[in-house]
Amino acid sequence: MNTNNELEKMRKWGHALEKASLIIGKIVYMFSLLAGVLILVNMFGIFNTMGLTVDLTSFGNTIHYQELSLPLQIIVSLLLIAMLVITCIMVNALVHALRSVFQSIANGRPFEDCTVKGFRKAALWIAILGVLNGEIFGLIIAVLCLFLSYVFHYGMLLQQESDETL
């Protein structure tokens, strides 16, 4: 097995995944920005003349946005925008953690402390987002990222041992 070819493949995948994470981060920002604009537009009543209705479901109860009083509509809209901003910050932290992992792989040094920390940070943010969204799938992905951090940590220890014996 030619290790140089394997290393080059790993670097190419690292570069590709780094670029993909950057693009995904930008797409999430665009959707968040669009959702925020739609919330603001709805808050000012521009869509109300077009017959657009917004239903908010909470604990099995459906609340019709347009039936709320104006102060409640403003409060609900501001809370939705705050949730979007917080979610966007968490997704940014997740993308940043994954990009650090992909950068170290692209640089040909996957068994470093920054890779292990990146996987652990990604696991944390995925778990938080999964809990906030009430999704078990997010928690499963977080556990897999945590597991990968231990695999890469073990690889880091083996790399250190190999470097010390040479």
Side-chain angles (χ1 to χ4, degrees):
M1 179 165 76
N2 191 349
T3 57
N4 288 333
N5 287 340
E6 295 299 320
L7 184 62
E8 190 58 35
K9 286 180 187 177
M10 183 179 62
R11 286 181 181 169
K12 286 180 182 178
W13 274 104
H15 284 297
L17 291 172
E18 180 186 358
K19 288 179 184 180
S21 65
L22 184 64
I23 292 169
I24 289 170
K26 289 181 181 184
I27 290 171
V28 168
Y29 283 130
M30 294 302 291
F31 277 123
S32 298
L33 183 65
L34 178 64
V37 168
L38 288 175
I39 290 169
L40 287 173
V41 165
N42 191 52
M43 185 172 74
F44 292 118
I46 296 172
F47 282 151
N48 287 345
T49 59
M50 296 170 39
L52 180 69
T53 60
V54 178
D55 295 334
L56 307 170
T57 303
S58 175
F59 302 108
N61 299 320
T62 301
I63 302 167
H64 302 285
Y65 181 83
Q66 284 78 9
E67 294 174 1
L68 297 174
S69 64
L70 183 61
L72 283 176
Q73 285 182 358
I74 292 171
I75 290 171
V76 167
S77 296
L78 292 176
L79 286 173
L80 288 172
I81 290 172
M83 287 173 27
L84 273 173
V85 168
I86 291 169
T87 302
C88 199
I89 289 169
M90 288 191 287
V91 168
N92 182 32
L94 171 62
V95 168
H96 181 71
L98 290 175
R99 284 193 67 215
S100 71
V101 169
F102 300 143
Q103 283 175 345
S104 65
I105 291 172
N107 292 333
R109 299 183 311 265
F111 301 113
E112 289 189 342
D113 196 42
C114 64
T115 306
V116 173
K117 288 180 182 177
F119 272 122
R120 290 183 181 164
K121 288 178 184 177
L124 173 72
W125 289 116
I126 292 170
I128 291 171
L129 287 167
V131 167
L132 291 178
N133 289 327
E135 297 176 358
I136 191 75
F137 184 71
L139 295 176
I140 293 169
I141 298 297
V143 168
L144 288 174
C145 281
L146 189 61
F147 176 74
L148 280 174
S149 77
Y150 286 110
V151 170
F152 276 81
H153 180 72
Y154 184 68
M156 184 179 73
L157 294 175
L158 290 176
Q159 183 70 47
Q160 286 175 352
E161 185 180 312
S162 173
D163 291 344
E164 290 171 357
T165 57
L166 293 177

